[in-house]
Amino acid sequence: MKRIRVVEISGSAFDMGWQHGKRFHDEIHMFTEDRLRLCQDPNWTGHSLSREAIIALAEACVVEHQAYAPDLMEELAGMADATGLSPAELVINNGFTDFIDVVYNLGGVAVPAAPPLASDNCTAFMVPKDRSATGQAFFGQTWDMHASATPYVILLRGAPQGAPEFLTFTITGCVGMIGMNSAGIAVGINNLMATDGQIGVTWPFVVRKVLQQDNLDDALECVTEAKLAGAHNYLLMDRDGAGYEVEAMSTSQYLHALGDETITHTNHCLIQQNLDVSRERPPASQNSSENRLQRARELLSKDRIELDDLVSLTRDETAICTRPTPPMHVESCGAAIMCPPTGDFWSVWGIPADNEYEHFTI
């Protein structure tokens, strides 16, 4: 069994970033270079831009990140010091899928071509306590990306000064992607594709800012008050089982509170106001998103949902657990399931159908 690498960082924001960067210096360089290359590929962005033009857009985003989360940018500064990469390069490493929206919308005066590739197939769910066999709410998701990302997956355990401790499923060089903190705040995402990308804040910094909070209202404001660079669906839950889903484009948001029914989401917009600024997905990607949503709803339609049901959902090869095929080469690079009321966190490295979940607590 391939186990997920657990990395512990602690101390000041700069120290945490330096520890992360020092541990994974070479991997961060390789992953960042791969993302920079993809940003220059019109198959991804609709534009053929130089490396210098890509970096210039990222540097403009750095300013927005600094205004939004100066402490997290101090963490990024520590990572930059340890790796020799610039904050702009690391912002691309962190927020690649949001940054693609930025390049698509702002990468040139001509109307961009519709990129034929989309490498995101995440399936997420929130189970309210009334539908849970234990009476405790659950949140979970797969994280799907180009198969080249799987070797970089890690679990980051952080003990920051002046903020709750946290666990986050992420990749080397990225401050956080899916996680839960010691105050019982959990957060995850699904990528969306937008036409309204703007110079703004990329989603991993929103995730980590959420994990700095000790209550759901403040966590929600981290999403709704952010100047978002690109489009994502955010899912938040607290230890009382309250939760929200925010289908968030750069210029349009829809808020949905968790009630008595499960919430599931994949990678296409479900709200018309967001569809109006949504980028057309390649047919295979759209079909995958629709099939995964339907399958997740089927699997969670029962009463008294148990942890094993959620594990089985992430392993479902009818639609949800994805193996790489050309031309997109997307796979389920891992998954995470959390129970905020208890602080239990289960995670799996790589394709969930092929590997075993490991249990952690926060």
Side-chain angles (χ1 to χ4, degrees):
M1 181 183 82
K2 178 72 173 183
R3 301 177 69 89
I4 193 166
R5 293 175 293 174
V6 182
V7 183
E8 297 189 3
I9 57 175
S10 62
S12 70
F14 186 94
D15 288 345
M16 289 172 63
W18 191 90
Q19 293 160 21
H20 186 167
K22 186 70 172 178
R23 169 85 178 264
F24 295 108
H25 175 280
D26 292 348
E27 288 188 37
I28 293 170
H29 270 266
M30 289 186 290
F31 194 76
T32 302
E33 187 60 33
D34 179 66
R35 271 22 193 178
L36 278 163
R37 177 182 57 80
L38 292 179
C39 285
Q40 298 172 71
D41 185 343
N43 287 328
W44 288 85
T45 66
H47 296 286
S48 296
L49 296 185
S50 67
R51 186 185 184 97
E52 291 74 20
I54 293 295
I55 293 297
L57 285 173
E59 287 175 341
C61 288
V62 167
V63 177
E64 296 295 337
H65 285 74
Q66 188 66 44
Y68 174 75
D71 49 350
L72 294 177
M73 289 305 287
E74 184 68 10
E75 186 172 326
L76 206 70
M79 197 181 303
D81 186 70
T83 61
L85 293 168
S86 70
E89 290 170 317
L90 290 170
V91 161
I92 294 171
N93 170 303
N94 277 250
F96 170 72
T97 47
D98 269 356
F99 191 68
I100 289 298
D101 290 343
V102 176
V103 178
Y104 176 87
N105 192 33
L106 302 178
V109 294
V111 176
L117 299 181
S119 186
D120 51 271
N121 283 354
C122 308
T123 303
F125 47 84
M126 289 197 291
V127 178
K129 54 188 176 183
D130 291 342
R131 297 291 303 280
S132 165
T134 63
Q136 296 164 329
F138 286 88
F139 164 78
Q141 70 168 97
T142 62
W143 185 69
D144 297 19
M145 180 49 68
H146 193 278
S148 61
T150 301
Y152 301 97
V153 167
I154 59 173
L155 190 68
L156 197 62
R157 184 185 287 275
Q161 292 178 353
E165 296 183 6
F166 65 87
L167 274 171
T168 178
F169 177 103
T170 189
I171 51 177
T172 54
C174 182
V175 296
M177 301 195 311
I178 307 158
M180 183 167 64
N181 69 16
S182 56
I185 301 295
V187 59
I189 47 81
N190 300 106
N191 189 48
L192 304 171
M193 293 173 60
T195 62
D196 62 345
Q198 62 182 345
I199 300 301
V201 178
T202 57
W203 65 274
F205 292 84
V206 178
V207 166
R208 271 292 304 280
K209 191 166 184 177
V210 166
L211 293 176
Q212 293 177 330
Q213 312 309 312
D214 62 7
N215 66 86
L216 189 59
D217 289 341
D218 288 346
L220 181 62
E221 284 190 2
C222 294
V223 181
T224 59
E225 299 300 316
K227 182 183 178 184
L228 299 173
H232 271 79
N233 186 66
Y234 295 86
L235 302 102
L236 298 89
M237 182 179 282
D238 70 8
R239 62 167 38 130
D240 295 324
Y244 290 100
E245 175 184 42
V246 187
E247 196 179 87
M249 317 300 275
S250 293
T251 59
S252 174
Q253 294 184 2
Y254 179 82
L255 179 65
H256 176 205
L258 178 65
D260 297 332
E261 299 298 323
T262 57
I263 286 178
T264 55
H265 206 290
T266 51
N267 300 106
H268 61 286
C269 293
L270 303 179
I271 307 303
Q272 184 59 54
Q273 71 187 50
N274 290 341
L275 283 168
D276 292 342
V277 291
S278 178
R279 196 158 78 244
E280 183 179 358
R281 304 185 68 83
S285 180
Q286 181 70 21
N287 290 339
S288 169
S289 187
E290 292 175 357
N291 291 340
R292 284 181 286 109
L293 182 64
Q294 179 180 348
R295 182 62 173 159
R297 287 173 172 173
E298 290 174 358
L299 293 173
L300 296 181
S301 63
K302 61 178 285 187
D303 292 323
R304 297 186 58 79
I305 295 168
E306 300 183 13
L307 173 63
D308 286 347
D309 297 315
L310 305 180
V311 170
S312 295
L313 183 155
T314 67
R315 290 174 169 164
D316 172 74
E317 295 196 75
T318 301
I320 293 171
C321 187
T322 303
R323 297 183 183 277
T325 58
M328 293 165 65
H329 299 284
V330 171
E331 76 175 16
S332 296
C333 303
I337 299 170
M338 292 163 271
C339 183
T342 64
D344 289 302
F345 190 116
W346 296 267
S347 190
V348 59
W349 179 93
I351 296 173
D354 294 346
N355 285 307
E356 296 298 323
Y357 274 83
E358 299 175 65
H359 177 245
F360 307 89
T361 58
I362 182 70

